[in-house]
Amino acid sequence: MKFTVLSLFPEILDGYFQSSLMKKAVERGLITVEFVNIRDFAQDKHKTCDDIPYGGGAGMVLKPEPLAMALDSVGAGQKRTLYPTPSGRLFNQPTARELAKEDELVFICGRYEGIDQRIIDEYVDDELSIGDYVLSSGEIASLVIIDAVYRLREGVIKARSLEEESFSDGFLLEYPQYTRPEVFRERSVPEVLLSGHHKNIEVWRREMSVEKTKRLRPDLLEKSTSD
Ligand code: ADE
């Protein structure tokens, strides 16, 4: 799978692709990545990429021409193109699963007050928000989406790990996990996990999932019972 990321600050993205699981996925050829610096397509000697909004208002808007040229340079017209923005559809696990089926995704990282609407109209397939808050940078939102997507690709992590985690089993949060030592600062691992009794462990985990979901995300529980 290939991720192409258009950005004014590609250095923000660099470290992520050079660490941990993503680094391994790149080395193993499961993931390829291309960064495109939008500023390379600026058309004046000052390399201007933003301008004041028509109609007035605070902040700056990314100009359409450099973005369009950057998008054309990667063939974005023929590829699924995403624009992370707080005014997009809420990104979630089902959307991550759907995006993981694509061979290539193009990301536009916005800054300032956003990008010219004509770029969205012409190139963007999905406007996605990663949550109801405003980040200063589309780069971080792009990385969040990339992270949620690439780990679902075959071979990146064990299929079993994916099955057991939150959101894969309907709409329940994952149960609590423990590792050694058995007692840490006078807090013991729940006995059932030491019992070796698989059925009881399964029942306990399910109960914990339901309890945790009730406590932290009752909205998810309503969804799973009404479906
Ligand atoms: N850019 C800034 N804030 C964002 C958000 N919440 N989701 C996606 N992109 C963003």
Side-chain angles (χ1 to χ4, degrees), residues 21 35 44 52 55 68 75 80 106 112-113 120 136 145 197 215:
L21 195 61
F35 303 142
D44 63 350
I52 53 173
R80 187 148 176 190
V106 177
Y112 321 113
E113 286 308 301
I120 298 174
S136 57
I145 296 170
H197 192 300
R215 186 162 41 89

Side-chain angles (χ1 to χ4, degrees), residues 17-18 25 40 45 120 122 205:
F17 285 92
Q18 284 174 39
D40 291 344
K45 68 172 191 288
I120 298 174
E122 192 159 330
R205 284 179 165 168

Side-chain angles (χ1 to χ4, degrees), residues 5-72:
V5 191
L6 277 61
S7 162
L8 283 167
F9 301 94
E11 63 276 10
I12 297 176
L13 307 160
D14 232 20
Y16 170 77
F17 285 92
Q18 284 174 39
S19 52
S20 184
L21 195 61
M22 174 56 97
K23 183 180 178 187
K24 280 194 202 122
V26 171
E27 283 170 358
R28 287 162 63 207
L30 298 171
I31 301 296
T32 48
V33 59
E34 181 183 357
F35 303 142
V36 176
N37 194 332
I38 300 163
R39 209 171 291 285
D40 291 344
F41 297 87
Q43 291 171 323
D44 63 350
K45 68 172 191 288
H46 302 293
K47 300 264 172 213
T48 309
C49 287
D50 59 347
D51 207 339
I52 53 173
Y54 273 118
M60 300 290 271
V61 176
L62 285 196
K63 289 168 67 57
E65 307 95 319
L67 255 182
M69 289 177 70
L71 284 159
D72 290 341

Side-chain angles (χ1 to χ4, degrees), residues 83-88 110 128-139 141-142 145:
Y83 172 45
T85 166
S87 61
L128 294 175
S129 167
I130 61 160
D132 292 337
Y133 41 78
V134 181
L135 302 169
S136 57
S137 138
E139 282 78 6
S142 293
I145 296 170

